[in-house]
Amino acid sequence: QVQLVESGGGLVQPGGSLRVSCTASGRTPTAYAVGWFRQAPGKEREFVAVTSGSGATDVRDSVKGRFTISRDNAKNTVYLQMNNLKPEDTAVYYCAAATFFTHNPGSYSYWGQGTQVTVSS
């Protein structure tokens, strides 16, 4: 019923910037929290950032000052602006929707297919 599609991934040099987008379709109540998660090869999926339906935000400590999450409810889109990218940021980035503000991936009901972000020279 709720479809999430990520876009904007790609290959970026260290220190570069990239903005990934998550666009929702179908039943998309604005009360949903939308989170960004990432998963590198051989590693577990980890929390990156979240924004609530009312606009509250949080990001993981390792990306504070570099990543910013925002949303445009009129476009049903959530963005993750990533600056000063590092090789350690390389991962598949997923967006997901939950009914409340949380860092826990198990609480998210809907997931996109992911978009690959590769940070390399």
Side-chain angles (χ1 to χ4, degrees):
Q1 194 67 24
V2 176
Q3 306 296 128
L4 302 174
V5 179
E6 302 94 338
S7 62
L11 176 63
V12 188
Q13 294 184 348
S17 296
L18 198 65
R19 186 177 74 167
V20 291
S21 302
C22 175
T23 299
S25 61
R27 183 174 172 269
T28 57
T30 57
Y32 274 31
V34 176
W36 283 98
F37 298 81
R38 66 188 183 186
Q39 188 165 24
K43 297 185 178 180
E44 293 187 349
R45 190 168 299 185
E46 66 180 13
F47 167 80
V48 178
V50 60
T51 180
S52 74
S54 61
T57 64
D58 195 21
V59 298
R60 68 179 294 113
D61 286 344
S62 63
V63 304
K64 285 182 178 176
R66 299 191 296 122
F67 290 13
T68 303
I69 187 170
S70 62
R71 69 192 301 160
D72 184 340
N73 287 330
K75 296 182 180 295
N76 290 321
T77 299
V78 172
Y79 305 97
L80 183 68
Q81 177 68 47
M82 301 180 286
N83 298 324
N84 192 24
L85 283 160
K86 304 177 183 298
E88 308 91 83
D89 297 317
T90 296
V92 177
Y93 283 70
Y94 299 90
C95 67
T99 56
F100 60 98
F101 191 86
T102 178
H103 293 188
N104 182 3
S107 297
Y108 285 78
S109 300
Y110 305 98
W111 292 82
Q113 295 297 308
T115 185
Q116 177 71 49
V117 173
T118 302
V119 185
S120 176
S121 298

